[in-house]
Amino acid sequence: DIQFITAMGPPGGGRTSITKRYIRHFNVINFVNFSDVSLTRVFGTILDWHLSKGFTNPIKQLSTSIIECTIHIYNTISSHLLPTPAKSHYTFNLRDLSKVFQGIVQSDSNNIKEKEIFIKLWLHECLRVFSDRLIDQTDKQWFIKLLDQSIKDYYRISINLSDSLPLFGIINSNRSYIQLSNDTLNTAVTNYLTDYNQINKKPLSLVLFQFAIEHICRITRIINLSNGNALLVGVGGSGRKSLTVLSIYISEYELFQIEITKSYNLNDWRNDMKTMMHRAGISNKSIVFLLDDTQIVKEQFLEDINSLLNISEITNLFNNDDYALIYEGLIKTCQDLGINTGSINDIYSFYLSRIKSNLHIVICLSPIGELYRTRLRKFPSLVNCCTIDWFNEWPTEALRSVAYVNLTSISIDDVIKDNIIDICVNMQEITLNLTKKYLKELGRYYYITPTSYLELINIFKTLLFKQRNEIYESKERYDNGLAKLLDTTNQVNDMQIYLEDLQPKLKEATIETDLLLEKITLDRSIANEQNIIVEKDTLICDQQAKEAQILKDSCENDLAIAIPALEAAEAALKNLSKADIVEIKAMLKPPIAIKMTMAAICIMLDVKPDKKSMNSKGADNRIDPYWIPATKEVLNDPKFLNRLQTYNRDNISNDIINKIVTFVSDPEFNPENIAKRGSNAAAGLCRWVHALYQYDQIARNIAPKRAALKDAEGTLKSAQELLSNKQKILKEIIDKVNALEVSLNEAEAKKLQLKTQVNDCEAKLKRAEKLIKGLSSEKDRWI
């Protein structure tokens, strides 16, 4: 139930032969190479279709010549440049032939009007496809002669290929595929490099000599082709990765690289591949995957790359979740494009087509050792599906440019710098020739890489800086020694003058200190005498203060009897409102107790009685004459309650007290009695009168004590003022003594400092004189 369909290339060129015993199980179908007639028809149809897009007739007439000449070159190079162990990538197939025409169809009729330019375009594409993979100048010169002869035979014209070869690319403002001049190309690439370094955290340290610029054009050409992949072969330090990064920036593509760590394994690689393929297939981003040979930690990586190059997918990479992610990411796009979204196979095919269109792979390998040839043999897509760009040895112009840029930071004469550059270039070229002689005579390889050249320049710079620093340090030591000697001589003279100035100052400071000490002793004795007087006065003031306090306490104890009743009466007054006052005023026939209360209030407020009511029939002259003034004058006063609350209780006249006695002694003039008669307001006023009378009687009793207290307080105040003045005088004396002591301390410190300076100056003079005498002979030698 199982049928096998297999495919293989013909044995040879690194491909293993299979046995007849194995072949007998299969029906063998051999695919022979296309004939020249078939190739002419296939590529002629493609070229004629492209030339029909507005190209001039002289260019259209070149169609047949271009096809025949290209096939001739392909057949010739396939038969002459055969693969060898050192040139295992010298295998050519129809993909290489198609790449020539793939490059030609990038041209535009608006930019190419003359057939000579079109022939140069064809020449450029042949160089890129066939010549860029050649590893030495012998093969390159052979191919140039083949091109020169083919141009003469097929185009009947002659193009000088000895000076400079044509160069086409998209590195221009219009991004058109046109012929580029060296000046324009250098300016454009330099500007791109400057822009890249300004916007990226890791700037590129590149020297843009012509050799590097040509490789940038080659790499940009490859990655801008449909399904364009590159295999960059060169030794370490040749600039493969840096030039690729700049080419990707010029092409406005997205760079994708893996980050190798100690724990990086195959699962990490597969996850990175998924991320990259999703960016190209789902997000539709133009991506360049850059892989360096130092990142190939497992050969499985190259097996996956081989599969990507050949069929744009990696076998067994995706699981069901990945397929679901692809389906969800592309279903809307597929619907818009009319692709059958009901079939996961159709969506996956569209996904692979996007990867093939958007993903470009650039692989950087080193040709050193057997590993390079083994990888090309095991993974043929590295050659068949990639355009190879072989990084040859740096030419002399490149070596000079690199040396010049690296030596720019050195401050050195231009003539000497040019000689140093010549020496570096000469050493590199001589060493390269020696490696060739070494290989020829002993059959062993010894590789001199661009990294070796850069290390040579860096070693020179390091040694130069080291020698310069040693010389500068030695010179600085001598300069410092001479400066120190001169400075020491000047210091000795200055110190001698300084010492002469210090001696009288030290003597003067000693005299000032002694005078201050005598003055402080005198002032301190005065202060002690004044302190004894102040202490005595302080005891007298304390005794007087105690006596005054005893009198004050006695007065306050006597007043404490009347104060509670007075405070209660004042609290009752605060509780009275206007309504209570109106209530009393509105009484037409008030009880005698209320009349008595208002008569007492009028007497307390010194309100005169109504004369008309006096001596009237049946009237009590002690009470009735005050009712009319009470209702019309006292109770109508808006400040009535305030007058009672602010009453001057300490200065009640004897006349008022004599009148009030008759009320206070009357049993009817009682707050409880008045409250029973129906007026709490009048009861409160009655209580206030009683309280003031009681307070006045007590105050009159303690009046002698108050007078004595006043006298005692006056005496105490005078004594305290006198004591305060004496304390002030004492403080001034003490402050003066303290100030003098501070001045004494400062004077003693100054005296000590001057003494120290004199001793230090004398010691320095002795040491300096010894130093000057000891180095007098060295000074003459140093100068």
Side-chain angles (χ1 to χ4, degrees):
D1 296 333
I2 301 177
Q3 292 180 321
F4 293 94
I5 299 177
T6 61
M8 63 173 288
R15 289 182 290 273
T16 306
S17 299
I18 57 176
T19 63
K20 292 183 179 180
R21 185 177 181 181
Y22 179 76
I23 293 177
R24 67 187 178 89
H25 294 289
F26 296 90
N27 293 317
V28 179
I29 301 176
N30 185 32
F31 287 83
V32 298
N33 293 332
F34 285 98
S35 64
D36 291 349
V37 175
S38 300
L39 294 176
T40 301
R41 181 175 180 181
V42 171
F43 293 110
T45 303
I46 296 172
L47 185 59
D48 290 340
W49 165 78
H50 177 66
L51 295 179
S52 65
K53 298 179 180 180
F55 286 92
T56 59
N57 289 326
I59 295 177
K60 292 180 179 179
Q61 294 171 1
L62 292 173
S63 176
T64 302
S65 299
I66 289 175
I67 299 298
E68 293 176 354
C69 185
T70 307
I71 294 174
H72 166 70
I73 290 174
Y74 167 71
N75 291 331
T76 303
I77 197 172
S78 298
S79 59
H80 284 77
L81 297 181
L82 299 176
T84 65
K87 305 172 183 178
S88 58
H89 61 281
Y90 276 21
T91 55
F92 302 93
N93 53 46
L94 289 182
R95 283 194 180 97
D96 301 313
L97 184 60
S98 65
K99 289 175 185 176
V100 176
F101 294 98
Q102 187 180 12
I104 291 175
V105 297
Q106 288 188 98
S107 61
D108 188 357
S109 60
N110 295 324
N111 299 317
I112 300 179
K113 302 291 185 181
E114 302 174 0
K115 70 175 187 178
E116 289 78 7
I117 303 299
F118 198 83
I119 292 174
K120 289 182 179 180
L121 170 63
W122 168 84
L123 176 62
H124 170 265
E125 298 306 318
C126 291
L127 290 170
R128 299 290 75 77
V129 174
F130 300 114
S131 178
D132 287 349
R133 72 169 63 189
L134 304 181
I135 67 173
D136 54 36
Q137 290 300 320
T138 302
D139 292 345
K140 287 181 178 291
Q141 291 300 325
W142 176 86
F143 185 71
I144 293 296
K145 290 179 181 179
L146 174 62
L147 286 175
D148 186 42
Q149 188 61 43
S150 299
I151 291 172
K152 294 176 181 178
D153 294 341
Y154 287 91
Y155 301 115
R156 309 299 179 186
I157 62 172
S158 179
I159 297 177
N160 186 7
L161 301 180
S162 59
D163 294 336
S164 61
L165 298 175
L167 195 61
F168 285 74
I170 62 167
I171 307 176
N172 55 79
S173 57
N174 297 326
R175 305 191 67 80
S176 302
Y177 198 63
I178 60 175
Q179 186 175 4
L180 303 171
S181 63
N182 289 337
D183 295 337
T184 304
L185 184 59
N186 290 346
T187 303
V189 175
T190 301
N191 292 336
Y192 277 118
L193 178 60
T194 303
D195 294 342
Y196 178 87
N197 289 339
Q198 288 177 349
I199 64 177
N200 283 275
K201 295 181 179 179
K202 295 181 179 180
L204 295 175
S205 179
L206 283 176
V207 180
L208 294 176
F209 45 84
Q210 187 63 30
F211 178 80
I213 294 175
E214 289 177 0
H215 279 288
I216 290 174
C217 289
R218 296 172 187 176
I219 297 171
T220 54
R221 170 191 173 274
I222 295 171
I223 62 179
N224 278 278
L225 291 173
S226 176
N227 199 27
N229 305 295
L231 175 62
L232 309 182
V233 185
V235 295
S238 55
R240 299 164 300 170
K241 292 181 66 176
S242 299
L243 297 179
T244 301
V245 171
L246 183 57
S247 301
I248 293 170
Y249 176 74
I250 293 173
S251 302
E252 298 180 357
Y253 285 174
E254 182 179 313
L255 173 63
F256 186 87
Q257 287 181 288
I258 61 174
E259 295 184 4
I260 298 297
T261 60
K262 291 183 179 180
S263 60
Y264 194 85
N265 53 32
L266 191 59
N267 289 331
D268 298 326
W269 163 263
R270 288 296 181 101
N271 291 331
D272 287 337
M273 291 300 100
K274 288 179 183 180
T275 302
M276 178 186 69
M277 294 175 69
H278 288 339
R279 292 284 294 168
I282 298 177
S283 302
N284 199 25
K285 300 291 184 181
S286 296
I287 296 176
V288 176
F289 176 40
L290 177 58
L291 182 65
D292 188 10
D293 50 2
T294 59
Q295 297 173 322
I296 305 174
V297 295
K298 294 182 180 293
E299 292 301 303
Q300 178 68 38
F301 294 0
L302 281 179
E303 184 175 343
D304 292 341
I305 294 297
N306 185 77
S307 178
L308 262 180
L309 290 170
N310 200 17
I311 59 176
S312 300
E313 70 172 327
I314 299 175
T315 307
N316 298 325
L317 177 64
F318 299 127
N319 53 33
N320 292 334
D321 293 337
D322 297 323
Y323 285 117
L325 180 63
I326 295 171
Y327 181 82
E328 292 174 0
L330 293 177
I331 184 169
K332 187 176 185 306
T333 304
C334 291
Q335 289 174 348
D336 297 338
L337 296 176
I339 298 174
N340 182 16
T341 57
S343 172
I344 186 65
N345 292 331
D346 290 348
I347 295 178
Y348 185 66
S349 298
F350 175 70
Y351 173 75
L352 295 181
S353 67
R354 269 195 172 179
I355 294 176
K356 186 175 183 179
S357 175
N358 291 330
L359 179 61
H360 305 274
I361 300 174
V362 178
I363 306 171
C364 302
L365 297 180
S366 173
I368 299 175
E370 182 64 26
L371 183 61
Y372 169 70
R373 293 187 293 273
T374 302
R375 285 171 171 173
L376 294 189
R377 184 175 66 253
K378 291 173 64 177
F379 309 111
S381 292
L382 298 180
V383 176
N384 296 336
C385 299
C386 293
T387 301
I388 301 176
D389 185 11
W390 192 279
F391 282 69
N392 292 307
E393 301 167 356
W394 282 357
T396 302
E397 177 263 337
L399 295 173
R400 293 188 64 85
S401 298
V402 171
Y404 179 80
V405 171
N406 281 275
L407 295 176
T408 302
S409 59
I410 300 177
S411 176
I412 197 171
D413 185 76
D414 291 339
V415 176
I416 298 177
K417 185 181 292 185
D418 291 338
N419 293 332
I420 294 172
I421 293 173
D422 292 337
I423 292 173
C424 292
V425 173
N426 191 34
M427 289 179 65
Q428 181 76 0
E429 292 178 344
I430 290 175
T431 308
L432 287 172
N433 293 331
L434 288 175
T435 59
K436 294 177 183 178
K437 184 179 178 181
Y438 184 70
L439 175 63
K440 183 178 179 181
E441 293 180 358
L442 300 179
R444 297 178 62 183
Y445 287 96
Y446 186 83
Y447 295 98
I448 301 297
T449 65
T451 303
S452 305
Y453 182 65
L454 294 174
E455 289 178 354
L456 169 66
I457 297 174
N458 290 330
I459 290 173
F460 168 75
K461 290 168 63 177
T462 302
L463 291 175
L464 178 62
F465 288 140
K466 183 178 179 180
Q467 292 295 325
R468 280 184 172 180
N469 289 334
E470 290 178 356
I471 293 172
Y472 289 152
E473 289 174 0
S474 299
K475 180 178 180 298
E476 187 177 2
R477 284 198 299 270
Y478 288 123
D479 291 341
N480 289 337
L482 291 172
K484 287 293 183 183
L485 285 175
L486 180 60
D487 184 52
T488 302
T489 303
N490 295 331
Q491 286 182 2
V492 168
N493 297 330
D494 294 339
M495 282 189 292
Q496 288 175 345
I497 298 172
Y498 181 62
L499 184 59
E500 293 174 358
D501 293 337
L502 283 179
Q503 293 292 348
K505 292 181 180 178
L506 177 60
K507 185 176 181 181
E508 182 181 350
T510 304
I511 295 172
E512 291 178 355
T513 304
D514 295 339
L515 292 176
L516 278 173
L517 185 58
E518 293 176 1
K519 186 172 179 56
I520 289 172
T521 303
L522 178 60
D523 289 342
R524 187 176 287 123
S525 64
I526 295 173
N528 291 335
E529 293 175 359
Q530 184 68 24
N531 189 35
I532 293 171
I533 296 172
V534 170
E535 288 179 354
K536 291 180 179 180
D537 291 343
T538 302
L539 292 175
I540 294 172
C541 287
D542 290 342
Q543 183 61 32
Q544 290 176 350
K546 290 180 180 179
E547 293 174 357
Q549 186 63 39
I550 292 171
L551 287 174
K552 185 178 180 181
D553 292 341
S554 177
C555 292
E556 289 179 353
N557 290 333
D558 292 339
L559 287 174
I561 300 172
I563 290 298
L566 181 61
E567 290 177 351
E570 290 177 347
L573 288 177
K574 291 180 181 179
N575 293 328
L576 294 179
S577 64
K578 290 183 179 180
D580 296 331
I581 303 302
V582 172
E583 177 188 350
I584 297 172
K585 187 172 60 174
M587 291 182 179
L588 297 179
K589 293 181 178 181
I592 187 64
I594 293 176
K595 281 184 178 185
M596 187 181 296
T597 300
M598 293 311 300
I601 292 296
C602 289
I603 292 170
M604 292 298 293
L605 296 179
D606 199 16
V607 176
K608 302 299 180 182
D610 185 18
K611 295 180 179 180
K612 295 180 180 181
S613 301
M614 294 181 66
N615 300 320
S616 61
K617 187 179 180 180
D620 187 349
N621 290 333
R622 184 171 62 95
I623 300 173
D624 293 336
Y626 288 100
W627 178 250
I628 293 175
T631 56
K632 292 183 178 182
E633 181 179 346
V634 176
L635 296 178
N636 283 332
D637 186 359
K639 297 181 179 180
F640 169 62
L641 294 177
N642 186 52
R643 289 174 65 187
L644 298 182
Q645 293 170 357
T646 59
Y647 193 83
N648 188 2
R649 61 191 181 188
D650 293 322
N651 293 303
I652 304 175
S653 65
N654 292 330
D655 185 43
I656 293 175
I657 292 300
N658 293 332
K659 293 179 181 180
I660 288 299
V661 170
T662 60
F663 290 91
V664 174
S665 59
D666 193 333
E668 291 294 329
F669 191 68
N670 184 283
E672 288 76 9
N673 185 32
I674 296 172
K676 292 178 181 180
R677 301 292 176 90
S679 176
N680 290 326
L685 294 176
C686 177
R687 191 175 290 108
W688 179 77
V689 174
H690 276 281
L692 281 180
Y693 176 77
Q694 185 181 4
Y695 177 82
D696 181 74
Q697 294 303 308
I698 295 173
R700 289 176 187 274
N701 291 332
I702 65 173
K705 293 182 181 179
R706 281 186 170 179
L709 175 62
K710 187 174 182 182
D711 293 338
E713 288 178 343
T715 303
L716 177 61
K717 183 176 181 183
S718 300
Q720 287 176 340
E721 289 176 355
L722 180 61
L723 177 61
S724 177
N725 291 333
K726 291 180 180 181
Q727 289 175 339
K728 185 176 181 183
I729 294 172
L730 176 61
K731 186 177 182 300
E732 290 175 355
I733 295 173
I734 292 174
D735 291 343
K736 183 178 179 181
V737 172
N738 293 335
L740 289 173
E741 287 179 347
V742 171
S743 300
L744 177 62
N745 293 333
E746 292 176 353
E748 289 177 345
K750 182 179 179 182
K751 175 183 173 182
L752 179 61
Q753 183 181 9
L754 288 172
K755 189 174 181 180
T756 303
Q757 289 176 352
V758 169
N759 295 334
D760 184 53
C761 188
E762 290 175 348
K764 286 182 178 178
L765 278 174
K766 292 179 182 179
R767 290 196 298 269
E769 289 174 354
K770 290 181 181 179
L771 178 65
I772 292 172
K773 290 178 182 179
L775 295 177
S776 58
S777 60
E778 291 293 324
K779 177 181 178 182
D780 297 333
R781 185 172 67 84
W782 292 348
I783 294 175

